[in-house]
Amino acid sequence: MRIGILTSGGDCPGINATIRGVCKTAIHHYGMEVVGIHSGFQGLLTKDVELFTDKSLSGLLNLGGTVLGTSREKPFKKGGMTLDGVHKPTLIKQNMKELGLDCLVCIGGNGTQKTAAKFAAFGINVVSVPKTIDNDIWGTDISFGFDSAVSIATDAIDRLHSTASSHKRVMVIEVMGHKAGWIALYSGMAGGGDIILLPEIPYDINNVCETIHQRALRGKSYTIVVVAEGIRTDGVKRPAAYIADEIERMTGIETRETVLGYIQRGGSPTPFDRNLSTRMGGHATELIAEGCFGRMIALTGNEISSVPLEEVAGKLNLVTESHDLVVQGRRMGICFG
Ligand code: F6P
């Protein structure tokens, strides 16, 4: 069996650990070959590949990013046609045959899961692994990359407390998450945020300012506000700048903003993500050995399972008001808007 493996969409810590899990299981346990495909689905169009060996897998467990490179190439977009009239999915199927690839492991986020589902329907043997810092992939409790991003964001929020306290300021920090508020919720609660604004829970800037005012009346000399990048704003400024400007204008309290940005996607994966990536990678290879395709690996509780790709595509895993961290946070006086 010869496996093709690719990484697609935004990078994050844990991708290389997943590649390692797939490859070491395939090579050592099943005697399979693994071909790395460069730059996501783009590498399948150009047959830009490399054969993985035990040597090339060394040092991957704790290495950030993806050694295969990535892209946001979507072969089925706009009917899948190139400018010179080639049907990309057909070309990819042909190239896989020429490369001797029996199946494909796709490591990626929502866009990649959608593409993987389309390739499965197109007759390609596909197994996918959910990857994203946003944790917004439906069908799995957690995606690898999320814990690492929460760890980075929490460390940043921890650091804001001392400067906010020294200057008696309101500090607003914007974290990633695309349309989901998982990073803001988990890092906001772990970092002691006083106000946490999520895309899934509408906020009223008057409530935000009243919360800050009440805190000041109770002698709280500073406030930490954590905002997800996907919250509603005026559509002009970045969320952190919009919220900070409104707070300073309406309360008169000195307010500063920080946009954490791509730091949340950098560096080495946390131990949790390393082990989740290892488990998911190994189980992807196990499904292949069993001839079980068209599925996405998933974490359900503490067990690794898999779900049909057609059930995953097009759905989002979003924060709900009933989530325990939201319920407990509200009971403790944290403002969610
Ligand atoms: O999906 C991961 C993510 O980092 C999102 O949180 C963010 O909105 C997006 O990618 C940024 O995309 P790009 O890397 O293309 O700028």
Side-chain angles (χ1 to χ4, degrees):
M1 180 72 83
R2 180 177 248 213
I3 301 172
I5 184 170
L6 63 84
T7 61
S8 175
D11 75 318
C12 75
I15 294 178
N16 288 324
T18 305
I19 292 170
R20 175 178 175 275
V22 170
C23 295
K24 278 187 170 279
T25 305
I27 295 166
H28 288 283
H29 191 65
Y30 293 108
M32 297 174 181
E33 281 190 321
V34 188
V35 173
I37 298 154
H38 295 148
S39 308
F41 292 101
Q42 179 64 31
L44 277 176
L45 291 168
T46 57
K47 293 201 281 187
D48 181 2
V49 299
E50 65 177 282
L51 183 67
F52 272 118
T53 64
D54 219 27
K55 186 173 183 306
S56 60
L57 295 171
S58 296
L60 291 189
L61 182 57
N62 63 344
L63 182 65
T66 163
V67 292
L68 288 175
T70 183
S71 71
R72 292 192 183 277
E73 169 62 43
K74 295 179 172 59
F76 288 90
K77 199 168 182 177
K78 296 179 183 161
M81 302 306 287
T82 64
L83 293 178
D84 47 8
V86 173
H87 185 238
K88 289 180 182 180
T90 303
L91 174 59
I92 283 175
K93 201 170 195 177
Q94 178 58 31
N95 286 348
M96 284 185 66
K97 193 174 177 189
E98 290 170 9
L99 290 166
L101 299 181
D102 300 296
C103 60
L104 208 49
V105 173
C106 302
I107 301 169
N110 282 303
T112 305
Q113 302 306 327
K114 274 184 199 166
T115 302
K118 288 174 178 173
F119 271 117
F122 194 62
I124 302 281
N125 292 331
V126 174
V127 172
S128 72
V129 182
K131 167 274 315 169
T132 177
I133 64 167
D134 306 334
N135 197 43
D136 61 356
I137 298 174
W138 188 91
T140 181
D141 289 354
I142 292 183
S143 306
F144 75 79
F146 174 62
D147 186 64
S148 297
V150 169
S151 176
I152 293 163
T154 302
D155 178 67
I157 295 167
D158 286 349
R159 294 171 183 276
L160 288 178
H161 283 263
S162 56
T163 181
S165 172
S166 306
H167 289 264
K168 296 181 176 40
R169 280 171 169 167
V170 177
M171 298 304 277
V172 179
I173 181 169
E174 178 188 318
V175 297
M176 283 184 160
H178 201 33
K179 294 175 182 167
W182 292 108
I183 298 175
L185 176 60
Y186 272 67
S187 63
M189 290 297 286
D194 305 299
I195 298 170
I196 302 173
L197 303 183
L198 310 176
E200 298 93 337
I201 301 177
Y203 70 93
D204 178 338
I205 194 66
N206 296 295
N207 291 346
V208 171
C209 294
E210 180 56 23
T211 299
I212 294 167
H213 179 62
Q214 290 301 322
R215 284 177 52 80
L217 291 178
R218 294 200 308 273
K220 301 286 187 180
S221 64
Y222 71 91
T223 296
I224 300 290
V225 183
V226 181
V227 304
E229 65 175 346
I231 63 166
R232 173 188 50 78
T233 65
D234 63 355
V236 177
K237 297 175 187 171
R238 286 211 64 106
Y242 172 75
I243 296 294
D245 291 351
E246 288 297 286
I247 289 170
E248 186 162 281
R249 178 178 68 82
M250 295 171 70
T251 66
I253 299 172
E254 259 196 348
T255 305
R256 295 291 184 272
E257 76 264 12
T258 299
V259 178
L260 203 49
Y262 294 86
I263 290 171
Q264 296 160 93
R265 300 218 316 236
S268 182
T270 59
F272 176 86
D273 272 343
R274 294 180 198 186
N275 288 330
L276 180 56
S277 296
T278 295
R279 294 175 68 193
M280 287 191 157
H283 280 274
T285 302
E286 190 178 331
L287 281 191
I288 291 168
E290 294 165 359
C292 185
F293 297 108
R295 300 184 73 84
M296 180 187 83
I297 300 297
L299 179 72
T300 307
N302 192 35
E303 296 305 316
I304 300 288
S305 59
S306 68
V307 292
L309 268 166
E310 69 266 9
E311 283 184 18
V312 172
K315 294 177 185 170
L316 282 181
N317 171 32
L318 298 174
V319 177
T320 59
E321 298 240 18
S322 59
H323 188 281
D324 199 38
L325 276 176
V326 176
V327 174
Q328 297 302 321
R330 280 195 165 126
R331 286 181 186 158
M332 296 158 65
I334 291 161
C335 169
F336 286 89

